[in-house]
Amino acid sequence: MTRVLVLMDFSPAALAALGAARDTFPDATPTVLHVVAPDTDPHPGGYAREHGQLGALGGGVVAVGRPAEEALRRAGTGEYDLIVMGTAGRRGVGRLLLGSVAERLLRESPVPVFSVRSPEGADHRPLGDGTWPHAARAVREGERPSLRRVLVLMDFSPSAHRALSFVRAHLPGTEVKLLHVVEPSALDAPFPLPTLSDPPLRGASARLLAERNSVWEREARRRLDELGGGEVVGGNPAQVALDRAAGGGYDLVAVGTAGRGGLSRLVVGSVALRLVRESPVPVLTARDVTPTGAVP
């Protein structure tokens, strides 16, 4: 059984995430967690309002602290296999602002993160007392189609392998499609190319790029065959995955993401971040947690 931790801030985005988690993992009993800031007035009765709101969802836990830190602490205990969160998909300049809690979880979580974009036009503002009971009941009693097809964006990194392993272990009844995208103008391939030297490609000729990409494609097909098969296409990885998701053929996109140290830790990964921000279907991200120097 999948052990699921759902972050709940009583917003439409969080409700959508909880509903998707219940549909995707019907055998699980999610722990719904609401985190209040340390300086928040607990109200008479010790957060009775928050407990009441969680009760309308079937129950949950109220903790005092910072949402990202509390979720990471609980995930680090080994009690959970997955963190679930809602994200507010935005357009224009604002679409670059995913949110500090979401970005930190994507970057640091020791367990995979299941992200669900909020309904169109909704955001992370909590619902009012007048609309909450109806919204909570809709999530608790609503029936949505079960997850059937998963698209795994495979770049053969340890984090991508972890995403695939999670899908196969925790969603055994789904049809899994592996997709590798060759970026024609990329300066680097995501893995060593055994039959080609690795010269710097800045300013490379079209012929040299075409030769490199041909070898890249053959090696990717060989590696996919070892994993059970898949598809190799050309293009931008995030855009190709978004187009597939928008086409209605998939219920979930899974992708690996690299957590980094130092200043570069702010870079979650442009592909994973864009998918979480824009995908019309839930996105599963997984980070490689293999100790440096260990064999994954």
Side-chain angles (χ1 to χ4, degrees):
M1 179 181 294
T2 307
R3 301 167 299 173
V4 178
L5 178 67
V6 181
L7 289 185
M8 177 54 60
D9 60 7
F10 307 121
S11 68
L15 284 175
L18 175 59
R22 286 177 169 169
D23 296 336
T24 305
F25 306 98
D27 295 331
T29 302
T31 297
V32 182
L33 173 68
H34 176 70
V35 183
V36 296
D39 56 356
T40 301
D41 182 356
H43 323 299
Y47 304 115
R49 179 185 178 190
E50 287 82 358
H51 282 291
Q53 290 177 296
L54 290 172
L57 295 171
V61 177
V62 175
V64 178
R66 303 296 177 189
E69 292 178 3
E70 183 63 20
L72 290 171
R73 184 188 70 79
R74 290 173 181 254
T77 64
E79 297 177 20
Y80 297 100
D81 304 304
L82 183 71
I83 293 177
V84 175
M85 65 178 181
T87 64
R90 303 175 182 180
R91 298 294 179 183
V93 175
R95 73 186 180 88
L96 299 175
L97 305 175
L98 180 62
S100 59
V101 173
E103 290 192 43
R104 186 172 177 192
L105 292 180
L106 292 174
R107 192 175 62 233
E108 300 180 27
S109 175
V111 300
V113 177
F114 185 84
S115 304
V116 181
R117 202 177 72 169
S118 63
E120 197 66 34
D123 56 27
H124 269 295
R125 287 176 292 185
L127 294 171
D129 291 342
T131 56
W132 176 256
H134 173 74
R137 184 169 58 254
V139 171
R140 191 175 64 247
E141 300 176 357
E143 293 185 5
R144 288 159 292 270
S146 60
L147 186 147
R148 292 187 293 271
R149 297 194 72 205
V150 180
L151 178 67
V152 179
L153 202 56
M154 174 54 64
D155 63 3
F156 307 104
S157 65
S159 57
H161 280 285
R162 190 177 186 213
L164 174 60
S165 295
F166 182 93
V167 168
R168 286 178 168 170
H170 295 271
L171 298 170
T174 59
E175 178 185 347
V176 179
K177 175 68 173 289
L178 273 61
L179 176 69
H180 180 79
V181 183
V182 174
E183 295 186 80
S185 59
L187 297 179
D188 301 295
F191 45 77
L193 300 177
T195 63
L196 193 68
S197 59
D198 190 23
L201 289 177
R202 292 188 184 278
S205 67
R207 181 194 62 77
L208 183 59
L209 282 172
E211 178 184 357
R212 188 279 311 267
N213 292 343
S214 178
V215 176
W216 178 351
E217 180 177 338
R218 289 198 300 273
E219 177 64 11
R221 292 185 187 282
R222 185 189 69 78
R223 293 183 178 219
L224 286 176
D225 287 342
E226 292 178 348
L227 294 173
E231 183 181 3
V232 179
V233 299
N236 175 277
Q239 190 59 55
V240 171
L242 287 171
D243 289 344
R244 297 288 179 97
Y250 297 96
D251 308 301
L252 174 70
V253 176
V255 62
T257 184
R260 303 176 181 180
L263 293 177
S264 62
R265 73 186 180 86
L266 298 176
V267 183
V268 175
S270 59
V271 173
L273 196 58
R274 186 179 174 194
L275 289 177
V276 170
R277 195 172 57 220
E278 300 181 30
S279 174
V281 301
V283 176
L284 178 88
T285 56
R287 183 173 68 89
D288 176 35
V289 293
T290 306
T292 302
V295 178

